[in-house]
Amino acid sequence: QVQLVESGGGLVQPGGSLRLSCAASSPRFPASPMGWYRQAPEKERELVATFTRDRNIIYADSVKGRFTISRDKAMSTVFLQMNNLKPEDTAVYYCTGTYGSVVVWGQGTQVTVAS
């Protein structure tokens, strides 16, 4: 089964930037949709940004203009460039991809925005 491995999380000051990566292991075909969710303490998991099945992009209103989602040419790795980070962006960020009818989640990577 395909596994998704996130990297790039860490501690950053407000206004700083981070770039998250999510690599799929041995995918036979690209995931669709594929994107990022996040979960802050005591809150529900929420959509951050995703490529849809028809190759459009959806962003949460809270990250529009600050975050950018992208994929490599092989469409096996998805990135999330996060700029102008705010304390409210602090959360565990999860990558997810749908392969046919199977939804796969990564293990998550912690992003902490604090001074």
Side-chain angles (χ1 to χ4, degrees):
Q1 181 173 333
V2 175
Q3 292 184 323
L4 299 176
V5 180
E6 302 102 332
S7 60
L11 173 64
V12 63
Q13 293 186 343
S17 298
L18 284 174
R19 187 179 192 230
L20 305 183
S21 299
C22 171
S25 63
S26 306
R28 288 182 291 173
F29 49 88
S32 181
M34 190 171 189
W36 294 91
Y37 283 69
R38 68 185 180 187
Q39 188 166 18
E42 301 182 356
K43 291 189 176 181
E44 292 187 355
R45 193 170 296 190
E46 63 177 3
L47 173 71
V48 178
T50 189
F51 288 96
T52 65
R53 289 187 185 276
D54 55 1
R55 301 187 182 183
N56 288 322
I57 295 175
I58 296 175
Y59 290 101
D61 287 343
S62 60
V63 306
K64 283 181 180 177
R66 300 188 297 122
F67 291 12
T68 303
I69 189 172
S70 61
R71 295 178 83 161
D72 65 346
K73 285 187 176 180
M75 299 178 72
S76 63
T77 302
V78 64
F79 305 96
L80 186 67
Q81 178 66 43
M82 306 185 294
N83 298 327
N84 190 21
L85 282 159
K86 303 176 181 180
E88 51 264 42
D89 295 317
T90 295
V92 178
Y93 284 69
Y94 296 92
C95 174
T96 182
T98 301
Y99 297 85
S101 60
V102 179
V103 179
V104 180
W105 291 87
Q107 82 287 353
T109 185
Q110 176 70 45
V111 171
T112 302
V113 185
S115 54

